[in-house]
Amino acid sequence: MSTSKTFKLDGKTISFNDGDTIMDAALRAGEYIPHLCHNPEFTPHGSCRVCIVDVNGRQVSACTQPAMAGSEVDNASDNIMRQRRELLQMLFVEGNHICPACEKSGACQLQAVAYYTNMLSPHFTHFFPRRTVDASHPDTAIDFDRCILCELCVRASRDVDHKNVFAIDGRGINSHLVVNSPTGKLGDSSFAASDKAAHVCPVGAILPKHTGYDKPIGDRLYDRQPVSIVGDVAAHEQEQEH
Amino acid sequence: MSIDTYIDEITAATRNRPDYLLQNLYEIQYQYSYVSDQAIKLLAEKLALSESFIVGVIGFYSFLHTTPRGRFDILISDSITDHMLGSRGLLDTLCNKLGVALGQPRADGRVTVDTTSCTGMCEQGPAMLVNGWTVTRLDQNRIEQIVELIEADTAVEEWPQEFLTVDDNIQRRDILLSDNSNAGDALKALIEQGDEAILQQIESSGLRGRGGAGFRTGMKWRFCKQADADQHYVVCNADEGEPGTFKDRVLLNSYADKVFEGMTLCAGIIGATKGYVYLRAEYRYLRAPLEQVLRKRRETGLLGTDILGKQGFNFDIEIHMGAGAYICGEESSLIESLEGKRGIPRIRPPFPVTHGYLNKPTVVNNVETFMAAALIAVHGANWFGSVGTEESSGTKLLSISGDCERPGIYEYPFGASMQHILQDCGATDAQAVQVAGAAGATLPAAEFNRCIAFEDVATGGSFMVFNQHRDMLDMVRNFAHFFVHESCGFCTPCRVGCSLMKDLVDKVYTGHAGQYDLDEMHKIGELMLKSSHCGLGTTAPNPMLDTLNKFPQIYNERLKHSSYEPSFDLDAALQDARDITGRDDAGAHIGTES
Ligand SMILES: Cc1cc2nc3c(=O)[nH]c(=O)nc-3n(C[C@H](O)[C@H](O)[C@H](O)COP(=O)(O)O)c2cc1C
Ligand code: SF4
Ligand code: SF4
């Protein structure tokens, strides 16, 4: 593989390999491009759109766009940051995100990326959807209020656990996560807390039970350093638990 | 027959292939009026799929249900042109006379009434579907007769023939619609002149895709031909979901041979042995006649093995049904749907020409494109290229509906002006034309000198006329609701943005909006068009942005004078509290009137 190929990310020269996306190359170079549905362990998805960048005047999602030699990628202009902020605001009003009452607060990637983009309020009118909590499983709970439809749990359960515990049902604004079991409850599915799918949720939707507030607020992953430095919450799963 | 045996039979007929899931679901839906838990379980076993995956597929398509519908499942077409012909009043009459609430099966299980996106009968509407069969030209009288037929439990197949008749309504013919070549002529040309010569004809004819995007057809076929793989596929996009478009319906009804000829020609050139027609569920009535044409082509050596006696020229065509999803007209969603999945647009690149159906190189073209290609093979590139404009050669079929005396199909050379077209169809007091459907362009009278062409006003064929008495905000609202219903929900800006936009348009409509809300529409619209994953999201804000710009009065005349209006009504929010306390005095209200 050749590594002589390069593009510019906000003026910095980034080299890439054949087959790399802009995100792959940036991550390898230690450059941060905000994202939610992307996790380098899984096939790119491109749904949250938070990683939009401007490539030679065209906006694309960095996680799906093949890197192109000689291109100029804008990852930090006011225009791009404003759009990311608006996308995050959309995600906040679409679900029910009551951060002060959420166990994931401080270690939530949605919250952390919102801080990073200087989001100060959800701005748009709240949808206040009626969603439920599924506490049927002995070790893991799902609060659907906080699901942002990133499909990381779907991908993990399908591609790594080979269990297909999760799927998306509905269309459009009615799209929602469903559990594969006779009752639709997690407790009646083949899900286990040791599954990969239990460790990929970027928000407080899939949460371990019995560990509430082990780590005090103020000491959590994004409390001391921004997401641009410490990266994805999923990559810190191990230390979170111990 | 028990459901077990039924599902055994239909899955066996499709060789238990999981990519035929959607086709199996379609059959079950029309057999039982829904897909029961039992059916899902059996399918999951047969096709080795998870039950929640199947549930997710059912939940994606509007025409599939997991709870029983009425034995007569009625869907009234809810496009703006149906509204203009009075469909909303007829819907009320129908619900009242049948004693049903919208979307709820009647207690005796006999009937459900609901609305659906444009059914493609715009020039002979208002229209509806009953158990998937099209009924046109609804009026009070016809609705009353339909109520009687339902109460008498008369099967739809036995309803008066004129109810189920769909006319072509061709009003203007040009080189395509007046062509009188015979079935097989294009394939004979292919065999005589060879693949390369015919492909060059298609390239030099300048033919561009008729589905809307206008990609050069010859170039697409060449890319696909060059893609190295053990199998290639030809797919005809007959999803025709753009509100106001119905020309593919007419081509499939009266020119199917030429469409299939174009597909077979493409197969011969790119080296495909298998083709699919993806037919929207709304055109269920076309399926049997199309199968009949396919059978005849097989009998006469125009499909099958050694086509027209040429050794190794093997190709056959299968019809796949959609199930109510506009997004499946987008070519990569269409391919996902052909594979039996939820119709979520794929990440591109790679493009279908290299990684399409089952990841093999695939040509997806519109119905009209295939027909044009077949005729170019017969008559040559010059015959085609001598008509039209520099950038847009040939002709375009327009589906004209709305406020005009002679709605129907008009074939024009590219370059025809709005003025000219409006005159021909008898639109004497047009206020605006909506070209290219819900996501298209709204043209006020000042732009009637513009032309139909890729370099001016591009269109897949939808042309809706609005007279001086129409309120253009009704159109905007209809489209805003359409996009909420049809967004696939995959990406944030479109999934959430369509709903926010719809709420803002409704806020304007009910007289609760201020200037701030219009600014919000601009902002959300811009975000959607810049950051969405596919063409639906990047064009869905067009009707709002276009009318905000060109018809500002329809917004301004409804605005509150203050710049900011809350998005909810404080007094209405107190209703629950009033109900609980039983109070309704002045003190239990917050003054909202100014
Ligand atoms: C939301 C959306 C809906 C579409 N619907 C249709 C359709 O109903 N029919 C069609 O031919 N093309 C439709 N297209 C365009 C297709 O993606 C594709 O470009 C076309 O089928 C290619 O064929 P052509 O080159 O012959 O036009 C749609 C595109 C989008 C983004
Ligand atoms: S539960 Fe978490 S991981 Fe799964 S789709 Fe929702 S947000 Fe993503
Ligand atoms: S733009 Fe809309 S239709 Fe297209 S992928 Fe996004 S949500 Fe789906």
Side-chain angles (χ1 to χ4, degrees), chain A residues 2-72:
Chain A
S2 119
T3 49
S4 63
K5 295 170 181 162
T6 63
F7 65 89
K8 293 253 194 234
L9 184 70
D10 298 328
K12 277 188 214 138
T13 302
I14 308 281
S15 46
F16 67 94
N17 299 331
D18 287 331
D20 271 357
T21 60
I22 294 172
M23 181 71 83
D24 294 332
L27 281 173
R28 197 175 315 107
E31 294 297 327
Y32 177 66
I33 300 176
H35 58 271
L36 290 170
C37 71
H38 187 66
N39 175 326
E41 293 184 59
F42 301 96
T43 45
H45 203 235
S47 66
C48 75
R49 312 307 292 170
V50 170
C51 71
I52 45 164
V53 290
D54 187 305
V55 183
N56 301 342
R58 214 168 64 86
Q59 278 188 211
V60 294
S61 47
C63 71
T64 60
Q65 189 67 21
M68 203 173 62
S71 57
E72 304 255 350

Side-chain angles (χ1 to χ4, degrees), chain A residues 142-144 146-154 166 168 177 197 200-203 205-206:
Chain A
I142 306 185
D143 187 341
F144 292 99
R146 304 170 186 152
C147 175
I148 57 167
L149 297 170
C150 71
E151 293 187 46
L152 276 167
C153 59
V154 179
F166 299 104
I168 303 292
L177 186 69
V200 292
C201 185
V203 296
I206 299 183

Side-chain angles (χ1 to χ4, degrees), chain B residues 179-188 257-258 261 297 302 378:
Chain B
D179 166 78
N180 50 18
S181 64
N182 296 311
D185 284 359
L187 300 181
K188 280 179 200 148
D257 240 322
K258 288 174 185 168
E261 183 105 0
R297 288 182 73 86
L302 297 173
V378 177

Side-chain angles (χ1 to χ4, degrees), chain B residues 63-126:
Chain B
F63 292 177
L64 302 179
H65 303 277
T66 51
T67 53
R69 305 287 283 181
R71 266 181 293 124
F72 293 89
D73 189 7
I74 297 185
L75 296 170
I76 302 267
S77 182
D78 205 29
S79 187
I80 183 65
T81 54
D82 294 290
H83 285 195
M84 287 156 65
L85 292 165
S87 66
R88 279 291 158 139
L90 298 174
L91 176 66
D92 289 343
T93 309
L94 188 64
C95 286
N96 287 338
K97 290 202 184 274
L98 288 169
V100 288
L102 206 62
Q104 302 296 319
R106 201 166 75 176
D108 63 357
R110 179 166 298 186
V111 60
T112 34
V113 178
D114 215 333
T115 58
T116 190
S117 297
C118 180
T119 56
M121 299 293 146
C122 322
E123 92 296 12
Q124 49 197 308

Side-chain angles (χ1 to χ4, degrees), chain B residues 439-473:
Chain B
T442 314
L443 304 181
E447 296 184 44
F448 287 174
N449 57 346
R450 295 182 64 185
C451 300
I452 297 290
F454 291 109
E455 62 272 34
D456 193 353
V457 184
T459 174
S462 174
F463 192 102
M464 297 187 263
V465 185
F466 295 83
N467 71 23
Q468 300 291 346
H469 306 288
R470 301 291 178 187
D471 181 348
M472 294 305 289
L473 196 65

Side-chain angles (χ1 to χ4, degrees), chain B residues 258-568:
Chain B
K258 288 174 185 168
V259 176
F260 294 148
E261 183 105 0
M263 290 177 71
T264 314
L265 183 81
C266 175
I269 291 172
I270 67 166
T273 56
K274 182 83 202 229
Y276 293 93
V277 174
Y278 185 87
L279 184 65
R280 70 187 309 222
E282 290 82 346
Y283 294 165
R284 185 181 190 193
Y285 75 97
L286 285 173
R287 188 185 193 177
L290 287 172
E291 296 283 8
Q292 181 59 32
V293 178
L294 288 175
R295 259 194 303 279
K296 206 172 122 229
R297 288 182 73 86
R298 282 182 204 115
E299 284 161 19
T300 50
L302 297 173
L303 276 180
T305 44
D306 300 338
I307 290 171
L308 286 179
K310 184 169 186 246
Q311 280 243 311
F313 186 3
N314 307 331
F315 182 65
D316 213 326
I317 296 174
E318 197 174 315
I319 298 172
H320 268 223
M321 299 306 291
Y326 164 66
I327 187 58
C328 290
E330 193 282 331
E331 59 184 8
S332 68
S333 312
L334 184 151
I335 290 170
E336 287 284 294
S337 186
L338 269 183
E339 293 181 2
K341 302 183 229 162
R342 294 162 58 82
I344 305 289
R346 290 180 176 176
I347 292 168
R348 303 184 307 171
F351 292 91
V353 283
T354 59
H355 297 76
Y357 179 61
L358 304 178
N359 249 351
K360 302 292 180 189
T362 304
V363 162
V364 181
N365 274 132
N366 176 256
V367 174
E368 187 182 345
T369 312
F370 279 120
M371 173 161 163
L375 299 188
I376 291 166
V378 177
H379 302 294
N382 290 339
W383 165 81
F384 192 76
S386 63
V387 177
T389 70
E390 184 90 10
E391 282 293 305
S392 319
S393 54
T395 60
K396 185 76 198 81
L397 265 62
L398 298 181
S399 314
I400 301 187
S401 64
D403 296 316
C404 62
E405 279 160 33
R406 291 174 296 280
I409 296 297
Y410 289 74
E411 183 188 7
Y412 281 105
F414 272 111
S417 76
M418 306 296 148
Q419 225 139 29
H420 183 145
I421 298 167
L422 287 168
Q423 199 162 16
D424 284 359
C425 70
T428 46
D429 67 339
Q431 166 186 197
V433 183
Q434 179 71 16
V435 187
T442 314
L443 304 181
E447 296 184 44
F448 287 174
N449 57 346
R450 295 182 64 185
C451 300
I452 297 290
F454 291 109
E455 62 272 34
D456 193 353
V457 184
T459 174
S462 174
F463 192 102
M464 297 187 263
V465 185
F466 295 83
N467 71 23
Q468 300 291 346
H469 306 288
R470 301 291 178 187
D471 181 348
M472 294 305 289
L473 196 65
D474 286 336
M475 178 198 80
V476 177
R477 260 186 100 210
N478 182 257
F479 293 166
H481 285 254
F482 169 77
F483 284 121
V484 171
H485 191 253
E486 300 298 343
S487 162
C488 85
F490 175 75
C491 75
T492 311
C494 172
R495 184 181 68 241
V496 184
C498 284
S499 282
L500 290 172
M501 277 290 213
K502 179 218 44 165
D503 288 346
L504 287 165
V505 173
D506 285 349
K507 196 176 171 189
V508 172
Y509 184 77
T510 54
H512 289 101
Q515 182 58 42
Y516 174 87
D517 298 292
L518 304 189
D519 297 342
E520 284 290 285
M521 287 169 70
H522 275 292
K523 179 172 110 176
I524 296 165
E526 198 192 331
L527 179 68
M528 289 172 70
L529 67 87
K530 282 197 174 151
S531 69
S532 294
H533 172 65
C534 89
L536 191 151
T538 58
T539 58
N542 285 352
M544 298 70 165
L545 298 179
D546 233 11
T547 50
L548 277 166
N549 181 14
K550 296 176 186 170
F551 292 84
Q553 71 281 6
I554 65 173
Y555 296 91
N556 293 335
E557 68 196 15
R558 287 182 166 88
L559 289 195
K560 290 247 177 175
H561 294 297
S562 64
S563 65
Y564 177 82
E565 283 296 321
S567 58
F568 69 98

